[in-house]
Amino acid sequence: MELLLSMLIMILVSVGVYTLLQANIARIIMGLFYLFNAAALAFFVASGLNSRNAAIIESGQGSLEANSTNPISQSSVILFTVISFAVMSYLIFLCRKFFSDQSDDNFSQRSFE
Amino acid sequence: MKHPHKVAALLSTFFSAALLAYALKLLGQIIQGGPQVFQLGHWPAPYGISFVADLLSALFICATSLVFFAFNVFSLAYTAEELKNKNLYFLCTSLVFASLLCFLAGDLLTLFLSLELLSMTSLSLITLGSTRDQTRQAIPYVILNAISAFSFFVGLGILYGHTGNLNMAYLANLLRQTEWTYGIRCASIFIFFSLCAKAAMFPLFSGFPAPILPRHRP
């Protein structure tokens, strides 16, 4: 499973870098989107894939059960997802604002220069 | 309200003075009792979020608070009119909050969060005037910041896979005692690249915005 996911990460990073290097703002945004997904997947794979119980401490217990998943990797990926969403939203907002005063409203065909 | 920016400026000045007083108190506590550790929500590390203040971070906090207080006092009289109603004080307070979080972070994940908050608030301050030039300058900065965030998080993932922990004190002890594997070296390169990009070091400063001069100088 790790090998398959590693290959998927490799494909995502390759596609992400390729689209990021295009002189088109919509493709740059898509490239960042691929890279962010690759990073989240890489964290999951690096921290170990397993199928265990949910990392929830029951009332009356002081610590996690032995057969629980690791909550740090899950919380880290959630945090990264939120941050990457914020960065992408801000980038899209800036691009919309920058190109809004041009007559052409085809956003996907816009480039920087 | 007729002058909301005046109220915001006065409130911000008051809170920055309180922050400066608290930073000086924290510095005194650290000089007397050594480094201070706080676990958020009393959850123990590594599951909880740790905040650590030693002498160096306390000095940085004092310097940041002093600069923030000076900025507020200066802005009471000299801030350009066009900036007064556009969330300047909110963004500056957020910037100071992110800086303090960066100084107090006890684990790498909190450091990552604080660096991203710092970048986002800096970006918002760059585009505060909402002119076309400012927006044009900010777009490459956002892209470079996103690439550095990707690099930092991949580095964190590799480091976590090899050490099983992201606490800075634990990592400092572990990496001092054990031999560095290729994975740890690879994670260090990713994190180093990310921090260089965020600090605008050579040759990663090309995406950063040119200085934006104010229209009205004091």
Side-chain angles (χ1 to χ4, degrees):
Chain A
M1 192 65 182
E2 279 87 354
L3 186 64
L4 279 176
L5 286 175
S6 301
M7 289 174 68
L8 180 60
I9 292 165
M10 189 181 69
I11 292 168
L12 279 173
V13 171
S14 306
V15 173
V17 170
Y18 179 76
T19 48
L20 194 64
L21 293 175
Q22 309 293 311
N24 183 297
I25 193 65
R27 290 185 184 171
I28 289 172
I29 291 169
M30 284 305 295
L32 288 175
F33 179 75
Y34 290 134
L35 285 182
F36 284 148
N37 278 286
L41 202 55
F43 199 102
F44 259 131
V45 174
S47 58
L49 297 170
N50 50 47
S51 56
R52 294 180 177 173
N53 295 333
I56 298 172
I57 298 177
E58 300 291 340
S59 59
Q61 293 183 346
S63 61
L64 283 172
E65 293 176 3
N67 194 27
S68 299
T69 55
N70 188 352
I72 293 180
S73 58
Q74 299 170 19
S75 57
S76 305
V77 170
I78 286 175
L79 177 73
F80 181 70
T81 307
V82 171
I83 287 176
S84 60
F85 178 73
V87 172
M88 296 290 285
S89 305
Y90 193 69
L91 180 59
I92 292 170
F93 165 74
L94 282 180
C95 293
R96 292 280 303 179
K97 192 173 174 185
F98 181 68
F99 292 118
S100 61
D101 58 346
Q102 293 185 2
S103 57
D104 183 11
D105 60 350
N106 187 0
F107 183 70
S108 64
Q109 297 301 317
R110 301 280 171 76
S111 62
F112 274 125
E113 304 297 340
Chain B
M1 197 175 291
K2 196 174 181 181
H3 297 293
H5 60 275
K6 286 284 181 192
V7 178
L10 286 172
L11 275 175
S12 186
T13 309
F14 172 74
F15 283 115
S16 63
L19 178 66
L20 181 60
Y22 191 77
L24 290 172
K25 184 188 169 194
L26 179 68
L27 181 64
Q29 281 180 347
I30 289 170
I31 289 172
Q32 287 179 352
Q36 310 280 315
V37 181
F38 176 69
Q39 299 288 344
L40 193 66
H42 301 292
W43 285 88
Y47 298 120
I49 297 170
S50 308
F51 294 109
V52 181
D54 57 3
L55 190 58
L56 184 65
S57 59
L59 285 172
F60 273 120
I61 289 168
C62 285
T64 307
S65 309
L66 186 63
V67 170
F68 186 45
F69 179 67
F71 155 77
N72 277 297
V73 173
F74 183 82
S75 71
L76 283 174
Y78 289 104
T79 306
E81 280 295 324
E82 60 187 352
L83 294 179
K84 279 185 175 173
N85 289 324
K86 293 182 180 174
N87 301 323
L88 173 68
Y89 295 102
F90 167 71
L91 288 173
C92 287
T93 308
S94 303
L95 188 72
V96 170
F97 165 73
S99 306
L100 299 185
L101 190 63
C102 191
F103 297 143
L104 291 174
D107 56 80
L108 286 173
L109 199 63
T110 313
L111 182 68
F112 170 71
L113 173 67
S114 62
L115 287 174
E116 290 310 308
L117 285 176
L118 206 57
S119 303
M120 292 298 285
T121 47
S122 307
L123 283 167
S124 305
L125 280 169
I126 287 170
T127 56
L128 192 64
S130 299
T131 64
R132 187 174 167 80
D133 281 344
Q134 286 174 314
T135 311
R136 172 67 182 84
Q137 296 281 346
I139 290 172
Y141 184 73
V142 182
I143 294 169
L144 188 63
N145 176 55
I147 294 170
S148 70
F150 160 78
S151 173
F152 198 98
F153 196 72
V154 170
L156 281 190
I158 298 170
L159 194 63
Y160 184 69
H162 280 79
T163 61
N165 208 318
L166 290 176
N167 190 284
M168 286 192 212
Y170 176 84
L171 285 176
N173 283 330
L174 183 76
L175 297 180
R176 203 178 293 130
Q177 290 166 2
T178 59
E179 190 177 348
W180 284 33
T181 59
Y182 284 111
I184 293 174
R185 287 174 200 272
C186 187
S188 307
I189 291 169
F190 271 110
I191 293 173
F192 181 71
F193 169 79
S194 169
L195 293 177
C196 285
K198 285 188 187 297
M201 294 183 77
F202 179 82
L204 300 166
F205 57 80
S206 57
F208 274 70
I212 300 166
L213 294 173
R215 290 181 185 174
H216 306 289
R217 293 189 178 192

